[in-house]
Amino acid sequence: QKEVEQNSGPLSVPEGAIASLNCTYSDRGSQSFFWYRQYSGKSPELIMSIYSNGDKEDGRFTAQLNTASQYVSLLIRDSQPSDSATYLCAVNRGNQFYFGTGTSLTVIP
Amino acid sequence: NAGVMQNPRHLVRRRGQEARLRCSPMKGHSHVYWYRQLPEEGLKFMVYLQKENIIDESGMPKERFSAEFPKEGPSILRIQQVVRGDSAAYFCASSPGQDPRYFGPGTRLTVL
């Protein structure tokens, strides 16, 4: 079983819509959770981190953590074409950071 | 993430040669992580270092691979006797604390 699972997509949403990205993790000992955005051919860029159950909002982004169900999600409100990228979920346990394979998002103008 | 420097950006080696990848963390960051990324795959953890210390190298193959982060200078990921399967993008990330916060632009290694 993979440490972190993401639906690879592709996920397509129209401009202005809400994009919902989901991630599940296997180990209940995971301590903190991260979302990265990676444009094609570029390096990952940290966009959100969340450390406790519930929601965390930052601009158009909201991270949601549910430790009971072992999932973390990222909502992107008012999606823009510039949001088109691969979104990587990562979880931390001790010194280890485990990344999912990413979900490809396309925002259609 | 523009502050994390990696060089070279592209590296071509023939089988059996050595590859040396360098990572200069952001100023003030003492934590460095190395990851490998294959096409259509996620980032695979290789090694976590602090200045002069290897904290966790559990993701790094036991043979041919080594990493260091000296007191002065960049962190180095060294791959000896490269094979075609080593072809990948290698990213380093730096942080002031314990999470890979800022990634460098990566080194794309091609083994012929």
Side-chain angles (χ1 to χ4, degrees):
Chain A
Q1 185 181 8
K2 289 184 179 179
E3 293 279 350
V4 180
E5 302 245 24
Q6 292 183 258
N7 187 330
S8 62
L11 174 67
S12 294
V13 299
E15 184 175 355
I18 296 175
S20 177
L21 303 155
N22 298 307
C23 168
T24 58
Y25 59 96
S26 60
D27 194 316
R28 289 191 178 275
S30 300
Q31 298 155 290
S32 47
F33 307 86
F34 305 86
W35 283 99
Y36 292 80
R37 177 175 62 199
Q38 187 174 25
Y39 293 111
S40 181
K42 302 295 184 182
S43 57
E45 174 191 8
L46 179 66
I47 53 174
M48 289 286 286
S49 57
I50 186 165
Y51 303 95
S52 57
N53 263 319
D55 295 1
K56 179 181 177 182
E57 187 174 316
D58 184 0
R60 296 187 295 112
F61 298 98
T62 299
Q64 299 174 319
L65 175 61
N66 184 322
T67 56
S69 301
Q70 294 178 234
Y71 80 78
V72 55
S73 61
L74 179 70
L75 301 178
I76 307 174
R77 290 182 299 281
D78 188 23
S79 296
Q80 302 296 309
S82 59
D83 295 327
S84 298
T86 296
Y87 289 80
L88 305 172
C89 171
V91 303
N92 162 236
R93 189 173 72 251
N95 291 324
Q96 292 275 3
F97 285 82
Y98 299 95
F99 283 80
T101 54
T103 298
S104 175
L105 171 67
T106 300
V107 180
I108 303 167
Chain B
N1 64 358
V4 181
M5 307 291 289
Q6 286 188 252
N7 65 80
R9 296 289 302 275
H10 300 273
L11 182 61
V12 179
R13 285 287 178 266
R14 296 191 181 278
R15 281 179 296 171
Q17 291 184 318
E18 178 179 289
R20 196 172 286 231
L21 288 62
R22 285 175 287 276
C23 169
S24 297
M26 288 181 70
K27 187 176 181 180
H29 288 190
S30 59
H31 299 247
V32 167
Y33 302 79
W34 284 94
Y35 286 84
R36 176 163 67 178
Q37 188 175 40
L38 292 167
E40 308 304 324
E41 293 189 17
L43 290 159
K44 301 294 186 189
F45 168 79
M46 299 184 73
V47 61
Y48 164 40
L49 310 104
Q50 291 184 31
K51 280 286 186 181
E52 300 185 271
N53 291 303
I54 297 174
I55 306 302
D56 187 338
E57 57 182 347
S58 59
M60 202 154 63
K62 293 286 187 283
E63 297 180 354
R64 302 189 299 110
F65 286 74
S66 62
E68 62 178 9
F69 189 13
K71 186 176 180 181
E72 301 292 337
S75 175
I76 307 286
L77 178 67
R78 184 180 175 208
I79 312 173
Q80 295 178 293
Q81 299 174 344
V82 295
V83 300
R84 289 217 173 110
D86 296 333
S87 295
Y90 292 83
F91 291 98
C92 80
S94 79
S95 176
Q98 197 175 323
D99 58 72
R101 194 161 288 269
Y102 301 103
F103 279 81
T107 293
R108 279 147 184 85
L109 172 66
T110 301
V111 179
L112 302 177

